[in-house]
Amino acid sequence: MEQLQQALDKRIKTVVQLEQLRQSLIDGKDTGRMAVSVCGGTACLALGAREIATAFKQEIEKREIQVKVEFKETGCQGFCARGPVVLVGPKNIFYQKVKPEDVPEIIEETILKGKIIKRLLYTDPAVKQEITYEADVPFYKKQARLIIGTNSEIDPTDIEQYIALGGYSAAAKALFQMSPEKIVDEITRSGLRGRGGGGFPTGRKWQSCRVAEGDIKYVICNGDEGDPGSYQDGSILGGNPHSVIEGMIIGAYAIGSHEGYIYVRNEYPLAVKHARIAIEQAMDYGLLGDNILGSGFSFKVTINKGGGAFVCGESSALIASLEGKVGEPKAKYVHMAEKGLWDRPSLLNNVKTWANVPLIINKGSAWYSKIGTAGSKGTMVFSLVGKINNSGLVEIPMGVTLRKMIYDIGGGIPGGKKFKAVQAGGPSGGCIPEQYLDTPVDFDELTGLGSMMGSGGMIVMDEDNCIVDVARYFIEFLKGESCGKCVPCREGLAKLSEILTRITRGEGRPEDIETMTDLGEIIHDGALCGLGRSAANPVLSTLRYFKDEYLAHINDKKCPAGVCRELIEYTIDTKKCNGCGVCARNCTTKAISGEKRKAHTINQGLCVKCGVCEDSCKFGAVVKR
Ligand SMILES: Cc1cc2nc3c(=O)[nH]c(=O)nc-3n(C[C@H](O)[C@H](O)[C@H](O)COP(=O)(O)O)c2cc1C
Ligand code: FES
């Protein structure tokens, strides 16, 4: 009863009350108070952020300085390669690679005395200079963090922090100042295109669903994100779930829906937990549920956890999964805007698409459409991973070149290695080589290169990656994830995988290239769903740009990158070997022998090519060929 009373007390019944709450939160904020934000994103948590957060809470309590310090644990702050990261406000001093034992010093020196701890600052490798503030770190400075920037500012489990930043004002504007037609018009004019893969114009999709016949309509958020290396959608749902919910409220009002679903994979426990808390809090505050803000409009959201199949991100498979059926795609004769979940009109958008909506409603389509290129408006959030110094979440205005992303923001390739390719668009995207690095990031430009924007996965590869092995890996992944319902995808991917595996084992045949090209086209043309239709991209794009590497494997039985085990050989350079015996002691198959202080040799029959000898030799005497 008491709980119910408390919940009722929190309920905001009018827009005026929402504004009053926002104002009181702003007024009540002591601007002289220091703020500590510990990143609670997945990468930082894996590196010990939970222990750091606990240490901060204990230290603040022990010193009884709660009134001086505001502590919060945020979602992913973006610069995952430098985790665990800690921001000290109000000016956002950026501390990186923080350890729990650094916490008392941060409190004593930075919080209480205002001194900077140089050891914890990020050093810009280009100028070898420490950088104090987050805004000056090149990784952040060159981005436009319209969507993910808020992650660093709020505790995602506290709705009031979102409200204090202007949260739910777009929903209020939409509900009270705009008609559904006007909202759809605004989204259309903004030029927003879906961020889930296809880049379909969002306004057009909303309009089809708005005019579709039916009393019951659904709004769905696609947070499946099954692409290897991608984690931007999970980080937005986990770091700023209210932005997605607010977008869904606006979409629901625009099309006349009263029920929404967030489909998120179960392997994202943080996103599931934070989205669930956000829904509960929005219900408590009257921002979801019946008669939102007294507008007469009612809308509720339910979370549905996916089982982790990549194909369940595809719209028709997602619908089947939501309906409790096996998550398999269907042939789409009718658009789901007309006949989707339980055969009712349904509006499905990606997490990032929804998160863009409040921004467009608040700032206007004219403002939004000035960002980006002619055909791709706004910003795009990427997971920049692989052989890159500054791996993390990157948000850029559309139109920034791949080179700028990889070198200026991503900090280039580790160890001075040579860039080889970037795989954009997830497993069924395509590999883009060095000569196209000056291509602007834009839906159509990336498609023109045989790759795609996809949902924002970007995997960087260097000279040590074998392109045939990379294609084999992605085809193997897609083969495993294919639902198996249609023959071209099921059999075609199995055949492609078999050919690629043979090539990486040195058993390639000259006709393989033509066979793979033909197969790729057949799978594309004949597959039932988007998985199959794009599945051959990793092979077709690598054949287009890296044919020589395939030919080296097939004709010369060589792997230029030195990755494919059957095609490499380790030998010992007798001139460099001093017979120290370290490699022999480390070799688990006892393939290395030789007298003490005399050059050793490797028995090729016993060698399993694990590379331990190369790693353990200090004199560079082990040669990989
Ligand atoms: C195999 C496959 C996997 C997909 N996975 C996702 C996903 O994880 N998230 C997503 O938003 N869209 C995914 N899509 C795209 C969806 O089918 C759909 O187009 C998208 O959710 C629509 O939202 P948008 O218009 O905001 O992009 C996938 C498509 C295919 C073919
Ligand atoms: S998880 Fe902390 S910066 Fe990404």
Side-chain angles (χ1 to χ4, degrees):
M1 191 63 203
E2 202 181 312
Q3 261 182 338
L4 180 67
Q5 190 54 43
Q6 275 177 2
L8 288 175
D9 287 343
K10 283 186 217 155
R11 198 170 171 83
I12 309 165
K13 299 191 189 80
T14 63
V15 180
V16 175
Q17 283 179 1
L18 176 66
E19 279 318 307
Q20 281 168 346
L21 171 64
R22 191 183 335 281
Q23 204 49 55
S24 74
L25 291 168
I26 296 166
D27 294 345
K29 202 170 159 77
D30 180 353
T31 43
R33 218 169 157 214
M34 300 290 277
V36 175
S37 309
V38 174
C39 175
T42 311
C44 287
L45 283 178
L47 294 163
R50 186 58 34 85
E51 290 73 24
I52 294 165
T54 308
F56 266 113
K57 284 186 227 161
Q58 287 171 348
E59 198 68 22
I60 291 169
E61 211 176 289
K62 192 171 94 191
R63 293 173 184 248
E64 295 180 357
I65 50 172
Q66 289 91 335
V67 284
K68 283 193 186 156
V69 189
E70 182 198 356
F71 174 82
K72 65 181 99 157
E73 196 175 317
T74 70
C76 173
Q77 297 185 7
F79 204 171
C80 307
R82 291 280 146 182
V85 304
V86 172
L87 283 182
V88 182
K91 283 178 151 178
N92 282 354
I93 296 162
F94 180 73
Y95 286 148
Q96 42 99 60
K97 297 207 175 277
V98 177
K99 298 190 195 72
E101 36 300 11
D102 297 322
V103 170
E105 193 183 345
I106 296 176
I107 297 269
E108 181 65 33
E109 296 300 317
T110 309
I111 307 268
L112 297 177
K113 297 185 190 149
K115 289 188 184 157
I116 304 294
I117 305 166
K118 283 201 158 190
R119 181 184 83 249
L120 297 176
L121 294 177
Y122 172 75
T123 303
D124 182 349
V127 286
K128 310 259 178 304
Q129 214 171 10
E130 288 123 356
I131 298 176
T132 306
Y133 302 108
E134 185 204 43
D136 299 325
V137 174
F139 174 80
Y140 289 112
K141 200 175 177 175
K142 296 176 179 165
Q143 297 186 45
R145 299 176 13 109
L146 303 181
I147 304 295
I148 48 167
T150 315
N151 270 26
S152 310
E153 296 181 59
I154 58 167
D155 171 349
T157 63
D158 182 355
I159 190 172
E160 293 195 353
Q161 296 193 19
Y162 182 68
I163 291 175
L165 288 183
Y168 289 102
S169 58
K173 181 175 174 186
L175 292 176
F176 289 93
Q177 296 172 28
M178 296 170 83
S179 64
E181 294 84 346
K182 172 80 185 125
I183 295 171
V184 174
D185 188 47
E186 200 64 7
I187 297 296
T188 307
R189 281 170 192 270
S190 73
L192 177 67
R193 290 172 69 173
R195 302 302 198 237
F200 192 81
T202 307
R204 210 190 305 163
K205 194 191 271 188
W206 286 30
Q207 173 64 4
S208 308
C209 207
R210 200 186 77 70
V211 297
E213 298 222 347
D215 299 339
I216 300 176
K217 296 181 182 179
Y218 299 106
V219 156
I220 307 161
C221 168
N222 190 343
D224 187 57
E225 196 171 49
D227 330 17
S230 286
Y231 61 109
Q232 66 284 342
D233 293 357
S235 300
I236 292 169
L237 257 186
N240 190 3
H242 288 288
S243 63
V244 177
I245 294 170
E246 188 176 5
M248 290 175 76
I249 296 172
I250 297 166
Y253 174 65
I255 65 153
S257 159
H258 302 287
E259 218 174 307
Y261 291 89
I262 297 179
Y263 187 90
V264 51
R265 57 179 41 227
N266 201 27
E267 290 101 321
Y268 276 165
L270 216 58
V272 172
K273 183 176 158 200
H274 291 179
R276 183 161 284 151
I277 294 173
I279 291 171
E280 282 165 12
Q281 292 186 346
M283 289 291 286
D284 284 352
Y285 279 70
L287 295 161
L288 275 179
D290 291 336
N291 193 17
I292 297 172
L293 295 171
S295 63
F297 175 70
S298 303
F299 179 60
K300 64 172 189 177
V301 177
T302 307
I303 293 191
N304 198 293
K305 291 190 279 179
F310 173 67
V311 76
C312 282
E314 192 277 339
S315 54
S316 63
L318 185 146
I319 295 296
S321 174
L322 262 178
E323 289 174 347
K325 300 177 189 149
V326 175
E328 280 179 354
K330 283 198 287 216
K332 288 185 217 162
Y333 303 113
V334 186
H335 288 298
M336 61 179 292
E338 288 152 30
K339 225 173 163 197
L341 185 59
W342 292 299
D343 284 342
R344 316 258 196 212
S346 303
L347 180 58
L348 173 75
N349 277 126
N350 169 261
V351 169
K352 297 179 290 298
T353 315
W354 287 120
N356 268 282
V357 170
L359 206 66
I360 295 168
I361 296 299
N362 260 338
K363 300 213 173 197
S365 58
W367 170 83
Y368 190 85
S369 61
K370 285 201 187 92
I371 308 165
T373 62
S376 305
K377 301 295 182 189
T379 60
M380 179 67 184
V381 183
F382 290 97
S383 307
L384 189 60
V385 298
K387 304 283 185 68
I388 187 94
N389 280 312
N390 302 341
S391 56
L393 292 187
V394 167
E395 184 175 356
I396 46 142
M398 299 279 193
V400 162
T401 63
L402 288 165
R403 189 182 300 282
K404 195 167 174 195
M405 257 187 88
I406 291 167
Y407 286 94
D408 296 359
I409 299 171
I413 317 298
K417 296 270 179 176
K418 209 169 160 312
F419 170 89
K420 184 175 231 169
V422 57
Q423 164 89 8
S428 39
C431 284
I432 301 170
E434 155 111 82
Q435 74 253 39
Y436 294 110
L437 277 186
D438 292 312
T439 304
V441 171
D442 167 293
F443 284 104
D444 310 314
E445 295 273 358
L446 294 183
T447 307
L449 292 179
S451 182
M452 59 182 180
M453 183 84 80
S455 184
M458 209 163 254
I459 305 174
V460 180
M461 292 163 230
D462 72 6
E463 57 189 298
D464 291 340
N465 289 106
C466 165
I467 218 75
V468 185
D469 189 55
V470 165
R472 188 198 57 77
Y473 167 81
F474 284 119
I475 293 298
E476 194 60 22
F477 172 84
L478 293 164
K479 184 184 93 178
E481 294 294 329
S482 161
C483 76
K485 206 165 157 181
C486 75
V487 177
C489 176
R490 185 184 66 227
E491 300 301 326
L493 285 172
K495 190 70 195 166
L496 277 181
S497 161
E498 182 204 308
I499 297 173
L500 288 163
T501 306
R502 254 197 308 99
I503 297 176
T504 57
R505 288 191 180 146
E507 296 157 13
R509 303 168 197 148
E511 66 272 20
D512 283 342
I513 294 203
E514 201 184 328
T515 310
M516 287 194 296
T517 312
D518 290 349
L519 256 177
E521 279 159 20
I522 292 166
I523 300 172
H524 173 270
D525 294 345
L528 174 74
C529 83
L531 188 148
R533 278 197 296 276
S534 55
N537 277 353
V539 180
L540 298 178
S541 68
T542 49
L543 276 174
R544 179 167 164 188
Y545 299 122
F546 298 95
K547 199 166 179 180
D548 286 352
E549 209 165 320
Y550 277 91
L551 292 176
H553 283 72
I554 295 171
N555 298 338
D556 311 333
K557 309 297 174 205
K558 281 191 179 139
C559 171
V563 170
C564 300
R565 280 192 183 197
E566 275 85 350
L567 303 182
I568 55 171
E569 189 178 82
Y570 286 97
T571 53
I572 293 178
D573 181 342
T574 49
K575 290 196 191 89
K576 286 186 182 165
C577 177
N578 65 6
C580 72
V582 171
C583 60
R585 282 197 292 282
N586 282 322
C587 176
T588 50
T589 58
K590 306 271 175 262
I592 304 178
S593 59
E595 282 179 43
K596 240 183 176 179
R597 280 187 274 284
K598 289 205 175 136
H600 282 39
T601 52
I602 299 179
N603 179 339
Q604 297 302 329
L606 293 176
C607 177
V608 291
K609 295 151 186 177
C610 65
V612 163
C613 50
E614 190 186 22
D615 294 342
S616 61
C617 179
K618 279 196 298 194
F619 309 100
V622 177
V623 183
K624 182 159 83 172
R625 273 200 290 250

